[in-house]
Amino acid sequence: MRIIAGRYGGHGLKSPSGHETRPSTARVRESLFSLVDARIYLDGAEVLDLFAGTGALGLEAISRGADLVTFVEQKANVLDYARANAEKLGVEDKCIFIQADAVEYLRQYDGPELDLIMADPPYKLDEMRELPDLAIPKLDVDGVFTLEHSSHDWFDEHPHLMTSRPYGRTIVSLFRPPLPPEDDAEAADDPDAVSADDAAASSAE
């Protein structure tokens, strides 16, 4: 497994043998970041990598310019791989490593608004359907939440879904916070606001 692009593109990453982790494939990671790059600037971004595993997603974000990534992984021995990979790249000063249940961490998160939250949970996670609604309030107004899931879970009717793309058995879905109200919408709610038609009528009189 390697970093795909950016400053550390081509650098290898350590991962445990066996089935202890299910890292995103290079194709999925490349496609995910293409979708993200089309929507936000990663330069200077603050990122949350949930179900971080060996840190491939978060370290890819750092390679592409992210300033700070928090890695949340429940298994201590797996999180050690993420830490070792960050040290190997020399980017540990841009990383925070937290051993915790990712869903509970997200529920309780009360830090700064984030530019990017990424989640690559087990496909049979009980809380899979809750994740977008838990993540979206933690984002900056221009932020993005990415979720990798199987075809058994669909979010087509979610009001804040931007796009979903299938890659084999994996689907990458991107969500964003609700857009802020437009100035004209705010004016429409203002009882003292004068419409353009009313103003024109007054001038004619």
Side-chain angles (χ1 to χ4, degrees), residues 5 15 24-25 30 51 81 96 103 114 130 154 174 204:
S15 60
S24 303
T25 65
E30 184 172 10
F51 310 93
Y81 278 89
I96 298 171
V103 176
L114 297 159
E130 299 177 49
W154 287 94
L174 269 66

Side-chain angles (χ1 to χ4, degrees), residues 83-127:
R83 187 178 287 105
N85 283 327
E87 291 173 354
K88 181 181 177 183
L89 296 176
V91 298
E92 60 269 29
D93 60 323
K94 295 179 180 289
C95 302
I96 298 171
F97 300 96
I98 296 177
Q99 183 190 349
D101 178 272
V103 176
E104 288 307 310
Y105 180 86
L106 189 58
R107 287 189 203 279
Q108 298 173 24
Y109 179 82
D110 61 356
E113 292 180 339
L114 297 159
D115 300 295
L116 175 63
I117 301 175
M118 300 179 290
D120 182 16
Y123 286 166
K124 294 183 179 180
L125 182 74
D126 291 339
E127 299 91 346

